[in-house]
Amino acid sequence: MDQYVPLNLYTNYEQAALNYPTQQLIFDEVLPAFPELPLETTYAESLASIQQRAYQLARCGVQARDKVVIFKSPKFDTYLLATAVSYLGAIPVMVSYHFPVETMAVFAERLEDPFILFDNQTANVVQAIENSSDNKHLAISNLLQQTPLEVPQLQLELDEISYMTHTSGTTGIPKLICHSANSMGWRTLWQRTIFEKITEKKLLAFHISPVHSRFNIGMTSAMAMGFPLMPLNTADSQKVGVMLTRYQPIALETHPNNFVQ
């Protein structure tokens, strides 16, 4: 079994890029928050783009221990943005794009007026949140225009809150779930024991909500072990069929309702 390692999103990504710089990441569409990345890229190439987004977030005023709600279309760049937030020692808060204004207003209160990263799909909701500061609303289209401000990586203490997700909200307003480097580290240790059963380091495909805690644990574990990865943004059966036929992954993970599709 692998050794236990606390999980810092950026550090894990950086170490994977050092260990497996040319390992593949394959996308089914251009990522809106990372338009410079080609559809077939590598761990190392994508790391450089993550660092640029981190520097641009720093230019927008994001600092250590700031909470940054990532509230946008459900694409793989959501995770890459969370990794950039982690570089700064800020706390990514992974929020489903379909939540209404009422839920987001409660989150804004509970998180004490956080930054909110958003895109066109969520812009109308963000603009309607009355208890959220306008100067903390960061449109991804504007973020991409910022001049990078180079700052060093900052890591939080291992038991500090460093990543947040939420419950489904089936019984009312969703509850926020807090993770630390230590708590996430134990979850990735278990995940890696599962991945060790895969005898060959061949392509893994997945279509999972990027704000689901499963996404982070699976992604960081697979990268730490050097698997090539194909995150699928769409569940459209025709597009998925094209990607699976073209690239022939050895596994596909998704949500049960997507398997039904």
Side-chain angles (χ1 to χ4, degrees):
M1 181 183 291
D2 285 347
Q3 295 294 312
Y4 165 75
V5 180
L7 175 60
N8 174 282
L9 267 66
Y10 182 83
T11 300
N12 183 86
Y13 208 111
E14 181 181 52
Q15 191 60 54
L18 290 171
N19 292 340
Y20 313 101
T22 61
Q23 194 55 283
Q24 277 192 307
L25 289 172
I26 298 170
F27 308 138
D28 56 353
E29 61 181 44
V30 173
L31 301 177
F34 291 80
E36 71 274 21
L37 289 178
L39 295 180
E40 296 185 19
T41 185
T42 64
Y43 283 15
E45 187 175 20
S46 58
L47 178 75
S49 288
I50 289 169
Q51 194 170 59
Q52 285 299 103
R53 291 300 96 81
Y55 292 162
Q56 289 169 312
L57 286 166
R59 177 66 68 184
C60 292
V62 177
Q63 300 180 20
R65 297 178 179 82
D66 285 338
K67 298 177 183 69
V68 182
V69 172
I70 303 178
F71 178 55
K72 58 174 289 298
S73 51
K75 301 178 186 295
F76 180 66
D77 53 358
T78 298
Y79 175 77
L80 300 183
L81 287 169
T83 306
V85 169
S86 176
Y87 176 91
L88 300 173
I91 304 162
V93 183
M94 314 300 282
V95 172
S96 178
Y97 70 99
H98 68 262
F99 283 156
V101 174
E102 294 77 15
T103 298
M104 294 304 296
V106 173
F107 281 3
E109 180 182 359
R110 291 177 179 175
L111 296 168
E112 300 176 317
D113 196 17
F115 285 94
I116 303 178
L117 262 175
F118 67 96
D119 63 8
N120 291 339
Q121 191 159 352
T122 54
N124 289 341
V125 172
V126 172
Q127 291 165 6
I129 304 172
E130 294 183 354
N131 59 337
S132 177
S133 299
D134 289 344
N135 64 345
K136 288 189 171 183
H137 295 171
L138 306 179
I140 288 170
S141 57
N142 290 337
L143 177 67
L144 294 172
Q145 304 303 314
Q146 299 300 311
T147 302
L149 174 63
E150 293 192 23
V151 294
Q153 183 189 4
L154 193 148
Q155 297 194 44
L156 301 176
E157 297 295 326
L158 298 182
D159 284 324
E160 283 191 80
I161 296 170
S162 58
Y163 188 80
M164 299 178 73
T165 55
H166 58 76
T167 62
S168 63
T170 52
T171 58
I173 296 293
K175 292 175 280 293
L176 292 164
I177 304 171
C178 301
H179 306 267
S180 69
N182 272 333
S183 70
M184 291 189 291
W186 286 112
R187 295 184 67 198
T188 56
L189 175 61
W190 172 249
Q191 176 66 77
R192 292 199 304 274
T193 67
I194 304 301
F195 281 156
E196 284 172 354
K197 310 302 181 186
I198 302 176
T199 55
E200 295 182 273
K201 295 285 180 64
K202 291 187 177 180
L203 185 66
L204 302 180
F206 52 94
H207 175 74
I208 305 172
S209 168
V211 302
H212 197 292
S213 61
R214 166 80 192 111
F215 193 103
N216 175 30
I217 299 306
M219 182 70 191
T220 54
S221 301
M223 288 193 72
M225 299 179 73
F227 281 94
L229 299 171
M230 187 168 71
L232 300 170
N233 290 309
T234 178
D236 178 89
S237 58
Q238 284 193 322
K239 293 180 181 177
V240 171
V242 168
M243 296 299 289
L244 297 184
T245 302
R246 179 180 302 163
Y247 292 103
Q248 298 287 309
I250 62 169
L252 169 65
E253 180 177 355
T254 189
H255 301 287
N257 57 324
N258 293 135
F259 271 126
V260 171
Q261 285 182 318

